Amino acid sequence: MAFQPTPRQLSLSKAVIFVLALLPFARMVWLTYTGQLVEPLEFITRGTGDWTLYFLCIGLGVTPLRRLMQWNWLIKLRRMLGLFAFFYATLHFTTFLWFDHFFDLAEMWKDVLKRPFITVGFIAFVLLIPLAVTSTNGMVRRLGGKRWQWLHRLIYVIAPLGILHYWWMKAGKNNFAQPILFGAIVALLLLTRLYYAWDKRRQNARIAS
């Protein structure tokens, strides 16, 4: 029998995840405020980017884990995980816009167009915005289930773009170990989700025939 938490246990799990997800941000703020960082801008830029990818991977992992373990309640955590991916992506972009360009949109746009790794990162961030905006139950009802699902399939584009952004950024330092690891994880998770979608279609076709 699959494990099914009580409503109280689920609420507690959400609260714990919420606090844990904010710890990296709190650490960045504390280390910056206390002056313990030699290169605070690099540390914050790298940290917010890394945690964006972490939460993208965790969010993508919800469906495979839910199906494997038959823990359907995990779906109730996916929204929070996705919003934390957007939260850290917003911090990552804000760091770029604020500290690199001091909110000069014209200069920022030139940088976006000039450097490919920034271009793909910017595209990934822009594509995340409609997913975050439509994450509420109200937006699901307004859009309708099918249109909402199609919109949120943008994650299949966003995640590879995030990996490409990370790869190009690390290429200048000849450090490919982490991009390869992230890429392998994202590829495995996306292939798993594609397999489940194919298997569902196959089963529906079998029932229809």
Side-chain angles (χ1 to χ4, degrees), residues 53 56 60 119-128 130-131 149-165 186 190 193-194:
L53 288 177
L56 281 176
L60 285 171
T119 305
V120 296
F122 181 75
I123 293 171
F125 174 68
V126 170
L127 292 178
L128 266 177
L131 271 62
Q149 286 181 348
W150 273 106
L151 176 62
H152 280 251
R153 284 175 182 166
L154 281 174
I155 196 65
Y156 299 144
V157 178
I158 293 167
L161 285 176
I163 297 299
L164 184 58
H165 168 71
V186 167
L190 291 180
R193 291 169 71 97
L194 287 173

Side-chain angles (χ1 to χ4, degrees), residues 51-195:
W51 279 99
T52 301
L53 288 177
Y54 294 152
F55 278 106
L56 281 176
C57 290
I58 294 170
L60 285 171
V62 167
T63 295
L65 183 61
R66 175 177 66 88
R67 289 177 176 272
L68 180 65
M69 303 299 295
Q70 296 185 347
W71 291 350
N72 292 328
W73 54 272
L74 284 176
I75 203 72
K76 297 180 180 179
L77 304 177
R78 189 168 62 183
R79 179 189 301 173
M80 182 188 297
L81 296 169
L83 287 174
F84 269 113
F86 179 69
F87 170 71
Y88 281 103
T90 302
L91 292 177
H92 189 64
F93 174 73
T94 302
T95 302
F96 165 70
L97 177 59
W98 183 0
F99 294 105
D100 280 4
H101 298 287
F102 301 99
F103 296 102
D104 188 331
L105 295 179
E107 285 300 315
M108 182 210 73
W109 186 243
K110 288 180 184 178
D111 212 9
V112 168
L113 295 177
K114 183 172 64 176
R115 295 197 280 178
F117 87 94
I118 294 179
T119 305
V120 296
F122 181 75
I123 293 171
F125 174 68
V126 170
L127 292 178
L128 266 177
I129 295 174
L131 271 62
V133 171
T134 59
S135 64
T136 64
N137 291 333
M139 288 303 298
V140 176
R141 288 193 295 270
R142 289 190 188 100
L143 290 172
K146 286 188 177 180
R147 280 188 294 179
W148 185 89
Q149 286 181 348
W150 273 106
L151 176 62
H152 280 251
R153 284 175 182 166
L154 281 174
I155 196 65
Y156 299 144
V157 178
I158 293 167
L161 285 176
I163 297 299
L164 184 58
H165 168 71
Y166 194 52
W167 176 278
W168 273 340
M169 186 182 69
K170 290 289 188 179
K173 302 177 182 178
N174 291 319
N175 182 4
F176 296 103
Q178 286 182 307
I180 289 173
L181 177 61
F182 272 120
I185 292 171
V186 167
L188 178 62
L189 291 173
L190 291 180
L191 286 172
T192 303
R193 291 169 71 97
L194 287 173
Y195 168 76

